[in-house]
């Protein structure tokens, strides 16, 4: 296995640990068509200004909400229709996550990257079904897993598909708290595949507000800059026009102003570390 495996993203750019940093960003969940499209457009403009490769992300169904009463999303059909329109009209790659095996075939026809959520990264049938789709597969490392454990997830996928990336999103530390061990990024990079850092879920406080998760968004820039300094393929961020009113993960989402400030700083760090 080569040290720097490159993943082609819809013939638009390549994702690799030694290439310039890419950004995967968008709201936690699709709330409505207009706001989702407008946000995707603004995120693209910010990334384009800094010549950063951009992937738009959003979920059509958040199946792992804290409360049964929490908003989950518009569902697969409407959600994929919105993502497809964003992809075509804005000419940007799109990513979404799947929680059910039966969703994979539909999702794979639309998205450029299919994502396996952290809590499901050990579900062999789901992992294999995503791999068989032929679409690049991004796997979030479970909050309960050591980075070395992700090698077994890679082995499940590469039997069918070598377009693999791994995402660090923090590890459980006591109750309702996550920490980031930056050694994890280096350990997973040793497997040869692109490593992504999820800067916003890493500051989440799962279930911290009782019927929903809390978070410390003020620390997102710090963690994002640190991961960029380690040298990763991409940063993953949840962005919302008004995080305090977001229907999911608002406490750990950033607004457009914070996002743009971070991008300005991150580009400089990435160029310094990778010597572009």
């Amino acid at each position: 296995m080569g040290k720097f495996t490159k993943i082609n993203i819809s013939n638009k750019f390549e994702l690799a640990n030694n290439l310039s940093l890419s950004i995967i960003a968008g709201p936690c969940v699709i709330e409505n068509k207009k706001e989702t499209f407008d946000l995707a457009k603004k995120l693209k403009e910010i990334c384009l200004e800094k010549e950063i490769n951009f992937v738009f992300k959003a979920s059509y169904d958040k199946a792992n909400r804290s409360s049964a009463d929490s908003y989950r999303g518009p569902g697969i059909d409407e959600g994929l229709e919105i993502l497809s329109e964003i992809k075509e009209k804005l000419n940007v790659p799109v990513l979404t996550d799947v929680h059910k095996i039966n969703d994979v075939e539909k999702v794979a026809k639309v998205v450029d990257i299919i994502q396996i959520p952290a809590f499901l990264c050990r579900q062999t049938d789901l992992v294999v079904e995503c791999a068989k789709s032929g679409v690049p597969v991004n796997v979030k490392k479970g909050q309960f897993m050591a980075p070395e454990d992700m090698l077994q997830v890679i082995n499940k996928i590469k039997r069918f598909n070598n377009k693999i990336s791994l995402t660090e999103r923090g590890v459980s530390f006591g109750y309702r708290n996550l920490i980031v061990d930056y050694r994890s990024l280096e350990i997973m990079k040793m497997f040869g595949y692109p490593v992504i850092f999820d800067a916003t879920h890493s500051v989440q406080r799962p279930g911290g507000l009782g019927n929903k998760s809390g978070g410390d968004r003020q620390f997102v820039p710090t963690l994002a800059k640190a991961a960029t300094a380690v040298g990763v393929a991409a940063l993953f961020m949840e962005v919302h026009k008004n995080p305090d009113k977001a229907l999911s993960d608002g406490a750990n989402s950033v607004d457009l102003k914070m996002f743009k400030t971070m991008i300005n700083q991150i580009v400089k760090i990435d160029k310094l570390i990778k010597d572009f």
Side-chain angles (χ1 to χ4, degrees):
M1 184 186 301
K3 185 177 181 182
F4 297 116
T5 301
K6 297 178 181 179
I7 309 300
N8 186 292
I9 307 299
S10 295
N11 295 320
K12 294 187 185 330
F13 62 87
E14 290 182 314
L15 199 64
N17 296 323
N18 64 328
L19 297 180
S20 58
L21 190 76
S22 297
I23 296 292
I24 302 169
C28 176
V29 65
I30 296 169
E31 296 182 4
N32 63 67
K33 181 177 179 178
K34 185 181 185 306
E35 288 194 5
T36 304
F37 187 91
D38 289 347
L39 179 61
K41 185 178 180 181
K42 289 174 183 175
L43 290 170
K44 178 187 175 180
E45 289 170 353
I46 292 170
C47 290
L48 192 62
E49 182 183 338
K50 291 296 179 180
E51 299 182 333
I52 299 178
N53 296 319
F54 170 61
V55 178
F56 180 74
K57 58 80 54 182
S59 297
Y60 58 85
D61 178 25
K62 296 301 294 183
N64 59 341
R65 300 305 309 274
S66 299
S67 168
D69 297 322
S70 296
Y71 176 74
R72 289 180 50 164
I76 187 168
D77 293 328
E78 183 181 346
L80 289 180
E81 183 179 335
I82 292 169
L83 288 173
S84 180
E85 185 171 332
I86 288 170
K87 176 178 177 175
E88 292 173 14
K89 290 188 176 181
L90 296 181
N91 192 29
V92 297
V94 296
L95 172 153
T96 198
D97 49 330
V98 293
H99 294 79
K100 298 184 292 186
I101 292 171
N102 293 340
D103 284 3
V104 174
E105 184 177 358
K106 272 188 176 182
V107 170
K109 290 177 180 177
V110 173
V111 303
D112 302 279
I113 305 173
I114 193 167
Q115 181 168 281
I116 298 172
F119 283 124
L120 300 178
C121 68
R122 287 177 58 97
Q123 297 301 308
T124 300
D125 290 345
L126 179 62
V127 170
V128 168
E129 193 68 20
C130 290
K132 287 181 177 179
S133 74
V135 176
V137 180
N138 179 45
V139 189
K140 287 199 171 184
K141 180 176 77 64
Q143 302 93 317
F144 46 87
M145 290 179 68
E148 294 89 347
D149 297 339
M150 293 302 287
L151 182 58
Q152 301 311 316
V153 181
I154 289 172
N155 289 337
K156 293 175 184 179
I157 298 172
K158 72 179 185 179
R159 294 183 181 188
F160 308 96
N161 184 344
N162 202 43
K163 293 172 283 189
I164 306 165
S165 58
L166 306 174
T167 296
E168 172 61 59
R169 57 143 301 161
V171 63
S172 295
F173 184 73
Y175 296 120
R176 297 176 175 172
N177 195 28
L178 298 169
I179 59 167
V180 177
D181 180 353
Y182 286 91
R183 294 175 299 180
S184 174
L185 300 175
E186 286 296 332
I187 292 168
M188 291 196 293
K189 281 166 63 177
M190 290 169 60
F191 301 147
Y193 293 97
V195 172
I196 298 166
F197 179 66
D198 184 341
T200 48
H201 281 105
S202 292
V203 301
Q204 189 182 62
R205 290 187 179 272
L209 299 178
N211 65 343
K212 60 183 179 180
S213 293
D216 300 306
R217 78 170 69 100
Q218 69 270 27
F219 298 124
V220 172
T222 301
L223 299 190
K225 287 184 286 187
T228 304
V230 171
V232 291
L235 292 178
F236 182 106
M237 299 184 203
E238 297 203 322
V239 185
H240 194 279
K241 182 177 70 173
N242 187 346
D244 289 332
K245 293 186 177 180
L247 299 181
S248 177
D249 277 4
N252 57 263
S253 297
V254 300
D255 61 19
L256 283 163
K257 183 178 179 181
M258 182 182 283
F259 176 78
K260 187 171 185 177
T261 300
M262 270 193 292
I263 294 301
N264 290 336
Q265 297 169 337
I266 284 164
V267 167
K268 296 174 184 178
I269 296 171
D270 189 54
K271 287 180 179 179
L272 177 65
I273 294 300
K274 294 176 182 171
D275 197 24
F276 290 126

